[in-house]
């Protein structure tokens, strides 16, 4: 007698011989059934009842002791991030996170470390002051490049924006993000576009997100999601736990010498910065608590005490499917041939019903209002389910 698993896999194999209309109709159902089965086998037993409904009681996680351990802001998409002690956030994400990006001059498409690993060596830094423009974005490049540093206004005045060229930027095949081509504060200096083009070896522009809203794509959990964002890949926040990255580190150690995992990973540490999260937490006592934590709030009160009534709720709207970008070493810009992507493919694939072939690490979040997050703040778990 065939098992449930073999029936599902047999059905997927048979689809290849069916007419296209039947494939379109049946494929999503079969893939979803395989996803639910995978989740049942890897989730805590309490997470799935006899009817297949996800109702985890978080039994393996100690959610009374979870705190924020790191906050990362990435002013320019795919460039070096900055660890900060606290950050304001709005519905669009952490203040100044991915507010700028680099685009190719020939087609206005966003350039990321997937295509140009050396972008991670570009170091943007937020310098705030009391000027009308709130400060500046200072950008430095490796000394060995011979390229000079430059600065652009943090919050350009209307008059400044009127002098900057506008265009529509393309990300993930959609050319719908309004942006301004940035110019240096010092009008006598070379433009940011000229400096970055020399460093990267191709014609590019540095652009800042314009005021026209960019709405995140919907997810299975939130089919009517209307969260705004800057130049993030999809969603305002990315959340991951230290325990999850540590579990991946253990897997890497166990695969040294297999599928191209280099011997250096016997001792090298996988830095959490490779995953480019915004909020990192620790304390649940087991990895992947973020996989089942669907709603939480952050404030300075320990769980069990009265929660700050003004603290916005953070919804984890989907898992974060991963590409080869985390393989890029944030210190050298060199992409590893196997780590962590090939390792994640071994045990973190098939968790996102919308993209079963991709591995997942961390979860995407959307925020209900404005707030401030600080290192050391407590995480208040409000709801559990299937992210």
């Amino acid at each position: 007698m065939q098992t449930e698993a073999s029936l599902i896999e047999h059905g997927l194999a048979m689809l290849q011989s069916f007419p296209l209309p039947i494939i379109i109709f049946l494929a999503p159902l079969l893939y979803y059934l395989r996803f639910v089965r995978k989740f049942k086998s890897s989730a805590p037993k309490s997470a799935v009842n006899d009817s297949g409904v996800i109702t985890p009681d978080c039994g393996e996680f100690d959610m009374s002791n979870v705190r924020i351990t790191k906050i990362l802001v990435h002013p320019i998409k795919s460039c070096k991030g900055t660890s900060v002690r606290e950050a304001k956030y709005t519905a669009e994400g952490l203040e100044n996170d991915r507010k700028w990006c680099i685009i190719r001059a020939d087609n206005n498409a966003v350039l990321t470390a997937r295509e140009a690993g050396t972008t991670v060596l570009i170091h943007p830094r937020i310098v705030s002051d009391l000027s009308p423009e709130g400060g500046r974005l200072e950008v430095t490049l490796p000394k060995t490049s011979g390229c000079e540093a430059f600065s652009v206004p943090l919050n350009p005045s209307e008059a400044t924006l009127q002098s900057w060229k506008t265009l529509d930027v393309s990300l993930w095949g959609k050319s719908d993000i309004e942006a301004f081509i940035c110019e240096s504060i010092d009008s006598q200096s070379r433009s940011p576009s000229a400096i970055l083009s020399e460093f990267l070896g191709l014609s590019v522009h540095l652009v800042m997100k314009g005021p026209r809203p960019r709405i995140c794509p919907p997810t299975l959990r939130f089919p009517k999601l209307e969260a705004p964002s800057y130049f993030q890949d999809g969603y305002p926040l990315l959340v991951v736990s230290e325990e999850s990255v540590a579990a991946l580190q253990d897997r890497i150690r166990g695969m040294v010498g297999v599928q191209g995992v280099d011997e250096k990973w016997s001792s090298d540490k996988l830095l959490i910065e490779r995953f480019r999260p915004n909020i990192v937490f620790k304390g649940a006592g087991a990895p992947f608590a973020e996989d089942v934590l669907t709603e939480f709030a952050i404030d300075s009160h320990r769980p069990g005490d009265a929660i700050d009534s003004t603290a916005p709720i953070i919804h984890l709207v989907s898992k974060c499917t991963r590409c080869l970008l985390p393989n890029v070493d944030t210190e050298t810009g060199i992409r590893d041939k196997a780590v962590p992507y090939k390792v994640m493919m071994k045990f973190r694939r098939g968790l996102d019903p919308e993209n079963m072939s991709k591995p997942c690490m961390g979860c995407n979040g959307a925020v209900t209002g404005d707030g401030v997050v600080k290192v050391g703040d407590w995480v208040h778990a409000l709801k559990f389910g299937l992210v």
Side-chain angles (χ1 to χ4, degrees), residues 18-39:
F18 286 6
L20 182 59
I22 296 179
I23 293 176
I24 294 173
F25 178 75
L26 289 179
L29 175 61
L30 288 169
Y31 274 105
Y32 181 74
L33 288 173
R34 187 172 72 168
F35 163 74
V36 169
R37 185 180 177 277
K38 274 179 174 278
F39 183 82

Side-chain angles (χ1 to χ4, degrees), residues 99-100 153-154 156 161 164 178-180 182 206-210 231:
K99 184 178 176 180
W100 294 265
L154 198 57
L161 292 178
W164 289 4
E178 179 188 34
F180 297 91
C182 299
L206 176 68
V207 300
M208 186 189 78
K209 169 76 168 54
F231 287 114

Side-chain angles (χ1 to χ4, degrees), residues 235-254:
Y235 302 92
L237 291 177
L238 180 57
V239 178
V240 72
S241 69
E242 288 194 22
E243 290 93 343
S244 299
V245 177
L248 176 55
Q249 177 84 74
D250 289 343
R251 291 277 185 152
I252 293 169
R253 298 261 195 267

Side-chain angles (χ1 to χ4, degrees), residues 84-124:
V84 298
R85 297 296 301 175
E86 67 177 81
K88 296 178 182 178
Y89 60 85
T90 68
E92 290 180 297
L94 296 187
E95 185 177 37
N96 297 313
D97 184 67
R98 297 168 174 94
K99 184 178 176 180
W100 294 265
C101 77
I102 299 169
I103 64 170
R104 301 180 68 104
D106 58 349
N107 60 8
N108 296 345
V110 172
L111 180 74
T112 73
R114 299 175 189 88
E115 301 84 41
T118 51
T119 56
V120 301
L121 305 180
I122 299 168
H123 190 182

Side-chain angles (χ1 to χ4, degrees), residues 158-331:
E158 189 61 35
T160 297
L161 292 178
Q162 289 290 333
S163 68
W164 289 4
K165 181 180 177 181
T166 60
L167 43 71
D168 283 341
V169 167
S170 173
L171 179 59
W172 298 118
K174 295 182 66 177
S175 300
D176 62 349
I177 310 176
E178 179 188 34
F180 297 91
I181 297 179
C182 299
E183 298 295 345
S184 296
I185 290 176
D186 182 358
S187 60
Q188 303 302 311
S189 302
R190 287 201 297 167
S191 71
S193 298
I195 297 169
L196 292 173
S197 294
E198 178 184 338
F199 175 71
L200 293 169
L202 69 160
S203 184
V204 299
H205 294 302
L206 176 68
V207 300
M208 186 189 78
K209 169 76 168 54
R212 188 173 70 212
R214 177 201 176 207
I215 303 302
C216 299
T219 68
L220 286 179
R221 288 195 64 235
F222 291 86
K224 296 182 179 180
L225 185 65
E226 295 185 353
S229 62
Y230 287 113
F231 287 114
Q232 299 96 333
D233 273 356
Y235 302 92
L237 291 177
L238 180 57
V239 178
V240 72
S241 69
E242 288 194 22
E243 290 93 343
S244 299
V245 177
L248 176 55
Q249 177 84 74
D250 289 343
R251 291 277 185 152
I252 293 169
R253 298 261 195 267
M255 284 184 63
V256 169
V258 178
Q259 290 195 338
V261 178
D262 195 90
E263 183 65 32
K264 69 176 184 177
W265 290 107
S266 296
S267 57
D268 279 10
K269 183 179 180 181
L270 181 69
L271 297 180
I272 207 164
E273 285 80 2
R274 286 194 180 216
F275 298 96
R276 308 186 72 78
N278 297 121
I279 295 176
V280 181
F281 63 71
K282 181 181 180 180
F288 309 116
E290 62 270 33
D291 282 1
V292 295
L293 179 60
T294 58
E295 291 184 15
F296 66 96
I298 300 169
D299 70 13
S300 60
H301 302 98
R302 190 183 184 110
D305 297 339
I307 189 173
D308 183 350
S309 60
T310 65
I313 294 174
I314 297 174
H315 297 276
L316 294 184
V317 299
S318 70
K319 289 185 173 64
C320 183
T321 54
R322 293 296 180 168
C323 61
L324 290 170
L325 192 149
N327 283 35
V328 177
D329 187 328
T330 55
E331 299 300 319

Side-chain angles (χ1 to χ4, degrees), residues 339-383:
V339 174
Y341 188 81
K342 285 187 177 180
V343 181
M344 290 191 294
M345 287 288 284
K346 287 294 185 181
F347 79 116
R348 294 293 295 170
R349 183 173 58 168
L351 298 172
D352 180 5
E354 296 183 81
N355 202 334
M356 297 288 287
S357 65
K358 291 285 188 179
C360 300
M361 179 61 70
C363 291
N364 298 306
V367 190
T368 59
D370 299 355
V372 176
V373 57
K374 301 177 182 178
V375 171
D377 276 354
W378 296 90
V379 173
H380 297 260
L382 302 178
K383 285 187 179 180

